[in-house]
Amino acid sequence: MLLASLNPSAVAAGHDVGDAVRIDGATLSRSDLVGAATSVAERVAGAGRVAVLATPTATTVLAVTGCLIAGVPVVPVPADVGAAERRHILNDSGAVAWLGEVPAEPEGLPHVPVRLHARSWHRYAEPSPDATAMIIYTSGTTGPPKGVVISRRAIAADIDALATAWAWTPEDTLVHGLPLFHVHGLILGLLGSLRIGNRFVHTGKPSPAAYAAAGGSLYFGVPTVWSRVVSDLDAALALSSARLLVSGSAPLPVPVFDDLVRLTGHAPVERYGSTESLITLSTLVDGERRPGWVGLPLAGVQTRLADDDGAPVSHDGATIGRLEVRGPALFDGYVNRPDATAEVLDADGWYHTGDVAVIDGDGMHRIVGRESVDLIKSGGYRIGAGEIETVLLGHAGVDEAAVVGLPDADLGQRIVAFVVGSAAPKELIDHVAQQLSTHKRPREVRVVDALPRNAMGKVLKKELS
Ligand code: MCA
Ligand code: AMP
């Protein structure tokens, strides 16, 4: 059973936890979760894909859980989504309704409410492990985000492998304040907790003070969160009582790793993955945690490095190659995009990650960077330069646009847009925030006379800094 801790027999037999989930001021016991989510399941059973505006609320928890009980694929929509991205996600996914919260502009879809106090004790048969659990939209270098089809089998395999790597048990209290529309916060954080049976606390925003106050044993954060924690002495000291601090979604700077060790007494566990592969590599609870390295393959995962011609690259800890991964948690393809799927998933089941890495003789991996400058990681969010450029070029005051990710001490990379045109920077930042998602807005817009281009007219992004 995917959400094993919600097995009605176990809950009825008294294995209940009064505060299984705490989120947005609400506390849900396991029987609340089973009863209310099964009531949601009754309302959506048999539906096609449903969209969930994934705010960090009990409504989202019950909407997602209800769909998983009924075997209805969930399409999480970013809580801060803008108009163009929302339309794209709905059209592309073919979602038939909004479940739970509904945005100001529902785009003509019907609304199915989630009732926090409704209860049903109907028993649903466990859907096939091959059934789609969810479709998560994620950015590529160009074009609008692609819908990544993730099976129930992949989620279960990934959580189980992580549980072994981190000694994650029902005794843990897992704390995070990450969005519930990406793998990190939703699949690992929420679904991981509902599978393993530990208490789950969502802090709303992932602020250092909220992390410190939550009193957890297991904490998840993106590097921006950990960098903010080490800048807040009281919060960092409070986390010394935790069991394990886990960092992922983007490179953890070595100075932040070292500061965590110094202030909390914990060397963070680092792990690496993607929406398409879920988590594939991690350092281990009882193994070496080496600053700047993301660890070993999880159970069932294989990795290899290839050069530009696809030839194998030696695992000597120094030679850089393109990272390819294979394992039980890979995605089933992109929605409506067999071409894009074939580009990254080969016939032998290897996923071409787009990252470049080194592997040492012990199997430890270090991520060196990405193959393309057009895929930006800002605050742990994956953002395509192309999608922002398209939206900027759709503004009447923009003639040319080039978007890059520049180094940023807080966000890892900061989105900076270079534009030729008459529009004011603030107007363009707001335009992107309204059309895509707030978190995809450029933090800075520089109006320039011309973009640097080569003889073929291609923008020389490396010269933009
Ligand atoms: C500012 N705001 C605006 C504007 N400017 N709103 C509208 N228009 C504008 N022009 C407001 C926002 O609404 C928000 O308000 C506030 O400014 C700050 O927003 P934000 O940019 O979100 O804040 P931040 O401080 O820069 O956020 C840092 C963060 C965030 C909290 C670390 O980046 C974050 O949550 N990152 C996590 C990403 C993640 O989970 N990635 C995992 C991908 P208000 O505060 O009122 O809302 S999954 C993955 O990568 C895999 C598989 C893996 O390996 O894990
Ligand atoms: P997403 O699909 O949002 O999960 O983004 C996946 C990408 O995030 C990967 O291909 C990497 O580029 C990056 N990433 C995730 N985890 C790490 C990590 N621990 N270190 C470095 N990069 C990471």
Side-chain angles (χ1 to χ4, degrees), residues 434-455:
Q434 284 154 18
Q435 289 300 314
L436 297 178
S437 305
T438 306
H439 66 264
K440 292 184 178 173
R441 70 191 185 279
R443 300 299 167 117
E444 201 187 324
V445 170
R446 297 190 200 161
V447 180
V448 294
D449 292 334
L451 296 175
R453 292 183 187 273
N454 66 14

Side-chain angles (χ1 to χ4, degrees), residues 162-175 196 198 215-220 226 238-246 264-269 284-286 289:
L162 290 173
T164 304
W166 302 340
W168 180 2
T169 73
E171 305 309 314
D172 277 307
T173 295
L174 168 58
V175 177
I196 288 171
N198 58 277
S217 62
L218 179 58
Y219 282 83
F220 289 176
W226 296 122
L239 293 186
S240 58
S241 61
R243 182 178 72 79
L244 204 63
L245 311 181
V246 182
T264 70
H266 294 291
V269 157
L284 306 177
V285 68
D286 55 357
R289 302 179 205 169

Side-chain angles (χ1 to χ4, degrees), residues 80 177-185 188 205-207 222-225 228 248-250 271-279 377-382 410-411 426 429-431 433-434 438-443:
D80 61 349
L178 301 170
L180 293 183
F181 45 86
H182 281 309
V183 166
H184 197 160
L188 308 189
K205 294 275 169 190
S207 71
V222 296
T224 300
V225 170
R228 292 178 185 183
S249 303
R271 91 296 177 288
Y272 158 91
S274 66
T275 310
E276 290 87 341
S277 66
L278 303 185
I279 305 308
K377 267 268 158 164
S378 186
Y381 284 116
R382 171 171 154 186
D410 179 46
L411 297 170
K426 168 141 185 7
I429 292 170
D430 290 345
H431 177 65
Q434 284 154 18
T438 306
H439 66 264
K440 292 184 178 173
R441 70 191 185 279
R443 300 299 167 117

Side-chain angles (χ1 to χ4, degrees), residues 180-264:
L180 293 183
F181 45 86
H182 281 309
V183 166
H184 197 160
L186 178 61
I187 295 189
L188 308 189
L190 177 64
L191 302 189
S193 298
L194 297 183
R195 180 164 177 81
I196 288 171
N198 58 277
R199 289 184 165 85
F200 171 66
V201 178
H202 194 282
T203 60
K205 294 275 169 190
S207 71
Y211 271 39
S217 62
L218 179 58
Y219 282 83
F220 289 176
V222 296
T224 300
V225 170
W226 296 122
S227 147
R228 292 178 185 183
V229 163
V230 296
S231 304
D232 182 330
L233 185 59
D234 289 342
L237 292 175
L239 293 186
S240 58
S241 61
R243 182 178 72 79
L244 204 63
L245 311 181
V246 182
S247 180
S249 303
L252 182 69
V254 171
V256 177
F257 183 108
D258 291 342
D259 283 347
L260 280 171
V261 175
R262 191 167 51 81
L263 298 174
T264 70

